[in-house]
Every structure is written in C-alpha cells, then in structure tokens.
Amino acid sequence: MRNPYDILGVAKTASAGEVKSAFRKLAKKYHPDQSKEPRAKERFAEVGAAYEILGDEKKRAAFDRGEIDAEGKPRAPQFEGFGFGRQPGGGDFRHFGFDFGGGGFSAESGGIDPDILSELFGGGRSRSRARPQPAPGEDIAVAVAVPLSTIAGGGSVRVALPTGRTLDATIPAGIEEGKSIRLRGQGHPGRRNGPAGDVIVTIRYAPHPVFKVEGRDLRLDLPVTLYEAVLGGRVRVPTLNGEVEVSIAPGTNGGRVLRLRGKGLPAAHDLPAGDLLATIRIVLPPSPDRELTDLMQRWRDRKPYDARSAVG
C-alpha cells in the first residue's frame, strides 16, 4: 500500500484539520455511490485506509516512528498483537467498512470519525443509496409591458412564458414599475412529485404616445393656438381617465406648466396619487396665413421686444 500521506496529498507536517479536510474532499470525490471516476471503489478504499492511519493520533505517531506500516500492521515482532482490526461494514457508520478486494477499512476500528462519513453521505447505511426526495420545480422569471390605461384602472395582461405557455396575470391599479407579481404553482414542474415552481412577473410600463411617466406623475405637452395663448380661454386636456377642461390665462407663454393634481398615476397601497403636468406649447396654423404674416410684420416694426433677454 502507498504511503498514506501521498494518498491524501498532505505533508508529514500537516495538521489534524488539514488531514481531515483532505480526507473529506477525496472521500466525497470517490464515494462509490456517487463517483463516476475510474476505479472509484479502489480509490475510495485506499483513501479510507490512509485516513484510518493519519486520522488517529496514536496510529499516525506509530507510523511516523516506523512501528506500523501503511496498512497498520506492526513492522517488528514486538508489536505483534498491537492489533488494528479491519472489520466489515455493519448497519451504520459506527460499523462502516469497505472491502473491494485487496484490503478495506472500517470506522469501528477508531480511525475514521463516523460523524465525518455521516456529514459527507447523509448518514444511514454506507452501501445503500439514499432514497431520492421530492424537489420543488424552478421558478420562471418574466417581464411584461403593461399599458398605462391598465395601470390606471387595474385589469389583466397576457404573459408569454419561455416554455411556450401563456397565462393571464391580474394587475392591481397603480402598481409601481419594477414590482413583481408571483403566480404560484405556474413555474416548472417539481421532481419526484415535488411542488411546481412559481412564475414571477416583473411589471414594466409600456411607452405611451402622449404621457411620460416621472415617478407617480405624468407629463405631456399641451398644444394651444396663438390666439388661446394671447386671449386665454378653456381647453381640454387628456388624462388616463378621459379629458378634463382647464383654463388658460390671457397672455400665457409657451413652456408654462399647468399642474392637475391627482390626475397622474392612481394611489396604491401607501403611495398617493400623482399629478398631471401639462406644458404649454404654442402652435401656429398648419399652413401659412397672409393676414397673420402681415400682422406680425407690423407688430415687429411698431412694437418690437426682446424675447430672449432672460437668457442673455
């Protein structure tokens, strides 16, 4: 049998903890019920026999002094009867043993801590494979773009899964972007009769042709005519819940922001409703108008003013 230090890959100066760690790693690697390594049974038996020597303080000291060989046998007649018995495997790790021909090892002889083997291989009989346990299925994570109209009033959206399935998810009114909805039991099926996983739907706001979302507020550009800006009046403003009428003060400049309180995203949980912020944009007639052109020329010549004084 090879030198046990070589088998475990540790130096003669290795601590007990280093020896134990090396054994754990190799025993797990070569365990016959788990390993696909070539000659796993023989390597497992060899690793165990090496640890039976080096894992026992007295045996390790006797080996280092040359009193016993790598198999634990006395090297001189005076050590006959020193006796490190190798016993076949019993019912649990306290009587653990392996013999695949050419020698074996046991935990009962005191060289291998039964707790180590129990920790590595789950307790019970050393030669029997543990009964497979039910395992839950994996979750499926998807993102879905939800129209702002659905966010405003709540509803449902169709969700397409990577598996090819589709299902409907209920959307609470006012739900925040980035929040997730969990659909329990709709994920991948469990293994060995385990429960199915969940579908986790992350909410994204779909782009809107008019509104831009800023937190809980909505923004939009509100076109007004030149005469509405000059004379004032009442104009209709779109919201997520239909149009409302607002007043434009006479002499309103482009860029002014009208705040419609509570007309943004609706309240949800502890979040208050947002506002609608309408920015005035003055729009000229769609086609050139000679009368307007003449008026503006007279205005320029008779009543000029600096519109950019505020920007230097």
Side-chain angles (χ1 to χ4, degrees), residues 215-302:
R216 305 300 296 171
D217 295 336
L218 298 177
R219 282 189 176 273
L220 84 158
D221 288 338
L222 180 62
V224 299
T225 64
L226 179 60
Y227 52 81
E228 286 171 331
V230 173
L231 303 175
R234 297 187 66 80
V235 299
R236 301 190 68 79
V237 180
T239 74
L240 288 176
N241 297 311
E243 292 185 340
V244 296
E245 196 172 72
V246 299
S247 295
I248 302 295
T252 295
N253 282 316
R256 181 180 175 183
V257 177
L258 305 179
R259 181 181 292 272
L260 283 66
R261 297 195 178 277
K263 295 299 183 181
L265 296 179
H269 300 296
D270 57 346
L271 299 173
D275 298 335
L276 175 62
L277 306 175
T279 301
I280 299 296
R281 303 297 182 200
I282 298 174
V283 179
L284 297 178
S287 57
D289 183 276
R290 184 61 191 177
E291 184 178 358
L292 177 61
T293 301
D294 291 343
L295 174 61
M296 292 300 101
Q297 287 176 342
R298 291 195 302 272
W299 194 283
R300 177 194 61 191
D301 295 340
R302 298 175 184 176

Side-chain angles (χ1 to χ4, degrees), residues 59 67-68 72-85:
K59 293 181 184 180
E67 297 171 357
I68 60 173
K73 297 177 180 178
R75 290 183 180 275
Q78 61 267 33
F79 292 105
E80 289 182 3
F82 193 76
F84 301 108

